[in-house]
Amino acid sequence: EKGYETGEHAPGLKLGGCGAYKAAHHIIKTHAKVWHSYNNTWRREQRGMVGISLTSGWGEPVDPHSQTDRDAAERYIQFHLGWFANPIYRGDYPEVMKNYVGRKSTQQGLGTSRLPTFSVQEKTYIKGTSDFLGIGHFTTRYVLQKSFPFLQVSSYHTDHDLAELVDPNWPAPGPKWLYSVPWGFRRLLNFIKTQYGNPLIYVTENGVSETVQCPQLCDEWRIQYLKGYINEILKALNDGVNVRGYTAWSLLDKFEWNKGFSERFGLYHIDFKNKNKPRYPKASVDYYKKIISANGFPNPREVMS
């Protein structure tokens, strides 16, 4: 979406309303081809697994008693996670995506939907092409219904017909988009369990950045973030979600998309101005080491705190 719709990221194409959908369509078909290639050629010998890693926030209805807000929150998830996961696990794009993009395309006078379609053969070929689901997750939004007039320039964002809100009480230690909302992770994991037949899950990205460097490397907010989110994964495990592994994002400060080196997700601080790029452990390193060594929280009493 940022590469082919808004042009914010490489390759910087501004193909409003259709670019992101076309790019995703090719990604999904290519993923399936790679999965089949491995399945037919290497699996018997290597006994490996091929999956896909998808990043998604969680959308919570502003008013859980409002059907329109609940529907909007459902659209939020389907337009993010379901966009890629639904074809792989269920054989086609989510119905709500097909309906909304199709209807808006018709209102624009287009002969076909801006959302591409899979042939019957492609649906069969794509469905089931994941031995595990990788999940990247960082934050949550409150969601409510918001209609966009069809006369506006079409875009992936206006196709949703929703608005996103945040709670001002949510901690926001890093960039503007990343609020710490641990309970959203448990709900996302349970959604995956229900929607896609409880697939094997590896958490491939989960962490928080800082925009203001702490000279004492005292990233207490990262410790609290990791503690909260890992705790919710443990709750999801108790719910029966099939989570097999967790990876904190990230080991080192690094080059972060169009933010360059200014946005730091690392457990280790990197001095980018020094030609040798020395690494310094932040406070979160010691905390995360204890979690790793215990394969969970070292003190059981911490789990529910």
Side-chain angles (χ1 to χ4, degrees), residues 42 52 62 112 116 128 133-134 156-157 159 174 237 255-256 283 289:
W42 302 107
I52 191 166
V62 168
T112 57
L133 178 60
Y156 166 75
H157 278 291
D159 284 342
L237 279 167
F255 190 84
E256 184 64 30
K289 279 181 177 178

Side-chain angles (χ1 to χ4, degrees), residues 19-287:
Y21 295 133
K22 286 183 179 178
H25 200 67
H26 291 305
I27 289 170
I28 293 164
K29 291 202 290 184
T30 306
H31 162 79
K33 189 167 186 178
V34 170
W35 186 92
H36 281 286
S37 174
Y38 185 86
N39 193 55
N40 296 333
T41 309
W42 302 107
R43 186 186 299 275
R44 185 175 298 173
E45 177 187 341
Q46 296 181 348
R47 299 181 181 178
M49 295 194 300
V50 177
I52 191 166
S53 184
L54 306 175
T55 299
S56 179
W58 172 250
E60 183 76 10
V62 168
D63 180 0
H65 303 292
S66 163
Q67 186 62 49
T68 55
D69 283 2
R70 291 203 303 270
D71 291 345
E74 172 79 12
R75 286 198 303 280
Y76 177 92
I77 299 298
Q78 296 294 358
F79 267 82
H80 287 84
L81 179 67
W83 184 7
F84 294 86
N86 219 75
I88 290 170
Y89 285 96
R90 304 179 72 169
D92 199 1
Y93 290 121
E95 287 299 318
V96 70
M97 279 193 80
K98 294 194 290 183
N99 292 341
Y100 269 70
V101 181
R103 176 168 51 81
K104 287 175 179 281
S105 300
T106 300
Q107 289 172 342
Q108 291 173 284
L110 301 176
T112 57
S113 175
R114 288 180 282 104
L115 182 69
T117 57
F118 294 113
S119 68
V120 175
Q121 291 83 1
E122 285 172 337
K123 291 177 184 178
T124 304
Y125 187 73
I126 293 166
K127 185 177 180 180
T129 56
S130 198
D131 304 317
F132 65 89
L133 178 60
I135 285 293
H137 174 75
F138 295 90
T139 194
T140 284
R141 292 288 184 272
Y142 280 121
V143 179
L144 74 162
Q145 163 77 23
K146 180 182 179 181
S147 297
F148 291 90
F150 68 86
L151 294 175
Q152 282 187 316
V153 177
S154 63
S155 78
Y156 166 75
H157 278 291
T158 57
D159 284 342
H160 302 181
D161 272 358
L162 59 84
E164 302 174 25
L165 302 175
V166 297
D167 186 330
N169 294 318
W170 288 345
K176 294 178 181 179
W177 63 271
L178 209 173
Y179 292 81
S180 179
V181 195
W183 53 260
F185 203 3
R186 182 184 184 183
R187 298 186 186 196
L188 176 65
L189 291 169
N190 272 282
F191 176 89
I192 293 167
K193 172 190 171 187
T194 303
Q195 286 276 312
Y196 309 125
N198 202 16
L200 173 62
I201 295 173
Y202 287 95
V203 178
T204 47
E205 290 186 33
N206 175 242
V208 65
S209 63
E210 69 235 38
T211 51
V212 179
Q213 182 184 329
C214 178
Q216 291 80 32
L217 304 177
C218 50
D219 56 344
E220 175 63 27
W221 63 86
R222 184 172 284 109
I223 292 172
Q224 293 305 316
Y225 181 98
L226 292 170
K227 180 178 181 179
Y229 276 75
I230 293 171
N231 191 17
E232 292 299 316
I233 297 172
L234 292 175
K235 293 177 186 176
L237 279 167
N238 289 333
D239 297 335
V241 179
N242 191 14
V243 182
R244 187 72 56 85
Y246 172 86
T247 312
W249 188 264
S250 58
L251 177 66
L252 309 171
D253 290 337
K254 57 180 176 16
F255 190 84
E256 184 64 30
W257 295 96
N258 58 338
K259 303 298 182 184
F261 298 111
S262 65
E263 194 168 316
R264 296 172 177 267
F265 275 88
L267 299 178
Y268 282 84
H269 172 81
I270 309 299
D271 183 359
F272 292 112
K273 294 178 181 178
N274 186 313
K275 67 176 183 178
N276 294 321
K277 307 293 187 291
R279 307 167 180 182
Y280 304 100
K282 302 175 187 178
S284 54
V285 166
D286 186 56
Y287 182 74

